[in-house]
Amino acid sequence: MTKIWFVTGAARGIGAATVKAALAAGDSVVATGRDAEKVARAFDAGPDRMLPVELDVTKRSQADVAVAVAVKTFGRIDVLVNNAGYGQLGMFEENSREAIERQFAVNVFGLFDVTRAVLPVMRHRRGGRIFNITSIGGIRGSEGGSLYCATKFAVEGFSEGLAQEVAPFGIKVTLIEPGFFRTDFLDPSSVGYGATVVDDYAERSAELRAFYEDRSHNQAGDPAKLAALLVNLAAHDTPPMRFPAGSDAVEVSAQRIETLKAELDAWRELAATTDGNF
């Protein structure tokens, strides 16, 4: 049976690759983005297979409208890919409150609103797949990425809890945790940096920014290969809760497990002493 996909941030990067992979698999896609015309131009597919829909995830009402249009056109939504997002980088103190709020509005609350709009459709059909695109930044915090990592950690915790809440309705949630992929993520058209200059951070901030700019469009990860894996996972009866994508993501996950275990082993005995008698 063909699937109906609903993809946010579909105009480029992993979102665009996912749309192409789903179409190549014979499925139909609701491809959403802030500019529906730009989304439409990105793909060669007829209206019976691909529906471009305007959706700025920071505008809650647009999520409800986009889902309603999707259901009216295709009758259901089988796979939700929460891909829309960007990186607000730079040291915490370099970023304004407004920049922080924008980062959470897109990466966290936008994802919440789209998921809230789609879930009733999936519950009604007693089935569905949700892929929440996070990052290795949702596994391990990084210097100069405190805000971005905070949003991805939030989505990780949300997804773990949500998976348990919706499992009785046949809905399965998977966290996709990419490493560095060849997308516009580090391109000036996407990434943001703190606008406040703090002298104590200046040298290190410059080094980190140069590192990211040098890596932009030179990342190891292939979005087309990741998209093909999403199509495969969407058909799997028992998809994983977490899927680290890329050799760098696999290594970060392994290191994180080792670090947590070592720290727990070192402090286990003292940590247990906080229990009280009652």
Side-chain angles (χ1 to χ4, degrees), residues 71-85:
V71 174
K72 182 178 180 180
T73 303
F74 293 117
R76 65 185 194 277
I77 295 171
D78 300 308
V79 184
L80 166 62
V81 182
N82 278 313
N83 167 72

Side-chain angles (χ1 to χ4, degrees), residues 185-203:
F185 179 79
L186 294 174
D187 188 270
S189 65
S190 179
V191 71
Y193 289 95
T196 301
V197 176
V198 179
D199 289 342
D200 283 344
Y201 297 122
E203 182 177 352

Side-chain angles (χ1 to χ4, degrees), residues 12-14 180-187 216-217 219 221 223:
R12 58 183 180 173
I14 292 172
F180 284 93
F181 273 74
R182 286 190 302 278
T183 68
D184 290 338
F185 179 79
L186 294 174
D187 188 270
S216 181
H217 299 292
Q219 301 96 321

Side-chain angles (χ1 to χ4, degrees), residues 51-92:
L51 176 68
V53 177
E54 179 182 354
L55 173 55
D56 179 340
V57 298
T58 66
K59 299 178 179 178
R60 187 187 313 171
S61 61
Q62 287 191 5
D64 294 330
V65 171
V67 170
V69 170
V71 174
K72 182 178 180 180
T73 303
F74 293 117
R76 65 185 194 277
I77 295 171
D78 300 308
V79 184
L80 166 62
V81 182
N82 278 313
N83 167 72
Y86 74 102
Q88 183 66 34
L89 304 180
M91 306 301 190
F92 170 70

